[in-house]
Amino acid sequence: MASSTQHGQNILTAVDAGILRVEINRPEKKNALTGAMYQALTEAIELANDRAEIRVILLHGQPDVFTSGNDLKDFLQEPALDDDHVAYGFVRAISRAVKPIVAAVNGACVGVGATLLLHCDLVYAGQSATFALPFVNLGLCPEAGSSLLLPFVAGRARAAELLLLGEPFSAARAEACGMVSAVLPDGDVLAHAQAQARKLASKPPAAMRASKALLRAGIASGVEEAIRTESHEFQRRLQSPEAKEAFAAFLAKRPPDFSRFT
Ligand code: COA
C-alpha cells in the first residue's frame, strides 16, 4: 500500500512497493537545502533503516534541478558551526544508510547535492545535468567525505581539478569520474531509476543489506574520519571573511572580490 508524507512541502516522501521515494521540492530556490530539509532527509533515511518493508530509497529532485546544495542564505544567517547541526547529521545518516539508495539527477547538482551522490549506490543522470563542487570558490572546503571519496572513485588528479577549481562539469564527466552509474536522455532518468529501484526491491533483502555494507566496508572508517575532519575545517571556513564575502556576493548577484584577503 502507498503512503506519503509532506515535510513542509520541501521534502516529499512516499512508500510504495518497497520503495521509499524522496523528492526534493523547493524549485523556487533551485532546491537549495535548508535545516528543515536536512532534518526531513535524515528522518527519511532513518525510516528506511527501521522499517522492514522499505527495501530501497529513491532520491530525486525536479526535472530542471536536483539541488543547488546548501542554502547560501542559511550559511550566512544560521551557519552549521557544530557537529550537532542537522546538515552534519544528514551527512552521517546517508553515509551509514542501511538500505540501498538510487539517485535520479536532472539539472543542476551542486555542492552537497553532488557529494551526497558519493554515498548513493546507483546514480542516474540526465545528459544535460550539470555538476559543481564550488567549495573553494565559496571560501569553504570539501565536505561529506568527498576529500576521501572523490579521489577514491575519480583518482586524485581528477578529484583535485573538480574540488580545487570548482568549475561546473557535465554528466559525461561525472560518469567518467565514477560519480554516476549511467547517463541517460533527460526525460528517461526518473523512470529508469525507478525501474532499477524496483529490481533492487525484489531481491533478497538481507543479502542486499550485507552486500551494500561490504561494498563500503573497506573505507567506511576512513569516510567517518574524513567527515569529522572536514566538518571541523568547514566550521572554521564558514566563519571566515572569505566565505562571508562569497555568500554575500552570491545573494547580491555580483562577482566576489577576494583581492583583499591574504
Ligand atoms: N542557496 C540559496 N538560494 C539559492 C541557491 C542556494 N544554494 N541556489 C539558488 N538560489 C536562489 C537564487 O538566489 C535565486 O533566488 P531569487 O529568485 O530570490 O533571486 C533562485 O534560487 C534561482 O536561482 P538562479 O541563480 O537565478 O538560477 P539559475 O538557473 O540561474 O542558476 C544555479 C542555478 C544552481 C547554477 C545557481 O543558482 C547557483 O550557482 N546556485 C548556488 C550554488 C551553490 O554555490 N551552492 C552551495 C554549494 S556549497
Side-chain angles (χ1 to χ4, degrees):
M1 186 194 288
S3 65
S4 68
T5 318
Q6 300 197 345
H7 298 266
Q9 314 277 346
N10 291 144
I11 300 292
L12 310 178
T13 57
V15 181
D16 191 23
I19 300 171
L20 172 63
R21 181 167 163 165
V22 181
E23 175 179 346
I24 310 172
N25 177 44
R26 196 186 175 211
E28 71 283 5
K29 293 290 179 188
K30 299 287 169 182
N31 279 359
L33 297 173
T34 61
M37 292 165 76
Y38 283 120
Q39 182 61 33
L41 290 168
T42 302
E43 285 168 12
I45 293 166
E46 288 168 351
L47 185 78
N49 290 344
D50 292 344
R51 282 187 32 190
E53 73 272 24
I54 298 175
R55 304 286 180 89
V56 182
I57 298 173
L58 172 65
L59 176 64
H60 66 96
Q62 301 301 310
D64 66 335
V65 63
F66 183 67
T67 164
S68 61
N70 201 102
D71 188 300
L72 290 171
K73 203 170 174 186
D74 278 9
F75 268 161
L76 267 181
Q77 294 176 353
E78 297 171 46
L81 296 181
D82 67 71
D83 291 354
D84 293 333
H85 190 278
V86 284
Y88 305 123
F90 163 69
V91 168
R92 286 191 293 273
I94 196 167
S95 71
R96 296 172 186 166
V98 175
K99 309 287 171 70
I101 304 177
V102 181
V105 180
N106 283 108
C109 179
V110 185
V112 70
T115 56
L116 74 77
L117 299 178
L118 299 166
H119 300 281
C120 296
D121 299 284
L122 305 180
V123 179
Y124 299 102
Q127 61 199 3
S128 56
T130 54
F131 298 76
L133 298 161
F135 303 113
V136 171
N137 301 343
L138 291 167
L140 299 171
C141 67
E143 40 76 305
S146 59
S147 63
L148 177 68
L149 282 167
L150 197 58
F152 184 73
V153 299
R156 194 203 55 78
R158 289 190 287 194
E161 270 204 337
L162 301 184
L163 283 169
L164 300 185
L165 289 173
E167 292 170 350
F169 55 100
S170 66
R173 182 120 205 258
E175 184 182 25
C177 288
M179 298 174 69
V180 161
S181 311
V183 178
L184 302 157
D186 292 331
D188 296 351
V189 176
L190 186 55
H192 183 73
Q194 271 173 318
Q196 300 296 78
R198 278 195 293 274
K199 283 188 208 165
L200 295 182
S202 72
K203 293 184 189 293
M208 179 60 65
R209 291 193 300 276
S211 300
K212 172 184 163 97
L214 282 168
L215 275 162
R216 303 204 163 245
I219 57 166
S221 63
V223 170
E224 296 259 336
E225 178 61 27
I227 288 171
R228 234 185 341 267
T229 313
E230 290 166 352
S231 67
H232 295 156
E233 183 59 36
F234 203 89
Q235 288 160 26
R236 281 192 289 275
R237 303 261 91 243
L238 273 174
Q239 299 173 84
S240 69
E242 293 175 355
K244 287 182 178 158
E245 163 61 14
F247 306 151
F250 176 79
L251 295 171
K253 301 186 191 292
R254 64 166 172 81
D257 175 8
F258 300 118
S259 61
R260 66 184 182 281
F261 301 123
T262 54

